[in-house]
Amino acid sequence: LPGPGELQRRAFTQGGVDFWGGEITGAYDFYQSTEYIGTLDVAFDWVEVNVLGGPSTTLPRIPPYRLKAGVEGRSDYGDLRFEVWWVQAKNRVAINELPTDAYVMLNLAFTAHPFPDQRNVTVVAQGRNLLGEEARVHSSFLKDKLPLPGREARISLSMAF
């Protein structure tokens, strides 16, 4: 290991690796009228890896399983979306890599369309990570030093020409 103030050297070499995984998404309009549309959506993604004949059986920064579920209502004047993200803990880690805790994030967004016939102006109010979870992106080189933002609120105005 390097001494104080020295950088750690990391060497990446190619070897035999089995990757597999996928992404599954789906959406269903559970309510439709002339004025409103209600949609449920879900997405799940995963990656698995096995190193063949290396010093470790896995690679660093392989993302954990993730599941996202949302419900959204849309109309000419505004859209309202609520979503939940669940990210599994990552305990199967490579040499010199630390595990990452699981987390759940709740997000809420309201998008107003003040001129429904012309969607070039929108006002968006968002609440992200409403539970204030400490969340980290396992695949990031900076995950141990830089978590995702905590509870936050945003308001934005968008105009397109």
Side-chain angles (χ1 to χ4, degrees), residues 29-58:
D29 290 341
F30 66 90
Y31 179 80
Q32 282 188 312
S33 71
T34 56
E35 297 175 1
Y36 303 102
I37 298 174
T39 303
L40 293 171
D41 59 80
V42 67
F44 177 73
D45 62 83
W46 76 99
V47 176
E48 288 290 335
V49 63
N50 285 311
V51 176
L52 308 174
S56 175
T57 59
T58 189

Side-chain angles (χ1 to χ4, degrees), residues 9-17 19 51-56 58-60:
R9 179 174 181 256
R10 294 190 184 214
F12 294 93
T13 58
Q14 182 175 336
V17 177
F19 274 100
V51 176
L52 308 174
S56 175
T58 189
L59 294 176

Side-chain angles (χ1 to χ4, degrees), residues 21 31 33 49 58-59 63 69 76 97 102 109 114 127 142 144 148 155 158-159:
Y31 179 80
S33 71
V49 63
T58 189
L59 294 176
D76 289 341
E97 183 180 34
L142 300 174
D144 298 319
L148 291 171
I155 297 177
S158 175
M159 299 173 64

Side-chain angles (χ1 to χ4, degrees), residues 70-152:
V71 61
E72 184 171 359
R74 297 185 306 275
S75 75
D76 289 341
Y77 293 96
D79 308 330
L80 181 63
R81 178 170 179 78
F82 174 77
E83 66 183 19
V84 177
W85 282 83
W86 170 79
V87 178
Q88 183 184 36
K90 187 68 173 185
N91 294 313
R92 184 173 179 238
V93 295
I95 296 170
N96 293 328
E97 183 180 34
L98 296 174
T100 305
D101 292 335
Y103 60 89
V104 174
M105 280 199 181
L106 297 179
N107 301 319
L108 181 65
F110 174 71
T111 303
H113 308 288
F115 309 108
D117 294 336
Q118 300 175 337
R119 293 230 170 178
N120 62 334
V121 176
T122 57
V123 178
V124 180
Q126 290 180 319
R128 295 183 180 179
N129 192 5
L130 297 176
L131 297 176
E133 288 273 341
E134 181 175 311
R136 298 177 184 272
V137 178
H138 184 77
S139 58
S140 170
F141 280 99
L142 300 174
K143 78 161 179 98
D144 298 319
K145 298 192 183 305
L146 187 64
L148 291 171
R151 187 178 296 117
E152 65 178 298

